[in-house]
Amino acid sequence: MLMGYGGKLLSEGNAVEAIGAFSEAGKLSPHNLDSYLGLARAFFKSEDFAQALQTAKDAMRIDPTNRDVEFFFES
């Protein structure tokens, strides 16, 4: 539920609130790759590039072969 809410917030341009939703989702399910990816995108949208990169690195530890994670290292 938090993932969907975070995605909705992010698509509406509300990156700051999306960060909160994705962060909470990550706390509830710390090995959920999608929560890390959503959080990284939200940080990216809020122009907190250092935090976006760190979160993407955390996601890479969960699944180093995921193509969505590679986006942050190709940009």
Side-chain angles (χ1 to χ4, degrees):
M1 187 163 161
L2 284 169
M3 293 296 301
Y5 182 59
K8 180 180 183 296
L9 290 168
L10 195 55
S11 70
E12 294 172 348
N14 194 342
V16 173
E17 285 191 39
I19 288 169
F22 289 124
S23 293
E24 193 62 32
K27 288 177 189 173
L28 295 172
S29 183
H31 298 291
N32 182 335
L33 178 66
D34 291 331
S35 67
Y36 283 94
L37 293 175
L39 184 57
R41 286 185 182 103
F43 280 130
F44 192 83
K45 289 271 188 175
S46 70
E47 298 184 2
D48 188 344
F49 303 116
Q51 219 28 64
L53 183 60
Q54 182 58 53
T55 305
K57 287 179 182 179
D58 294 340
M60 186 168 268
R61 284 189 210 109
I62 294 171
D63 183 357
T65 63
N66 188 288
R67 299 287 302 160
D68 291 331
V69 175
E70 291 178 8
F71 163 80
F72 291 96
F73 298 101
E74 294 173 353
S75 299

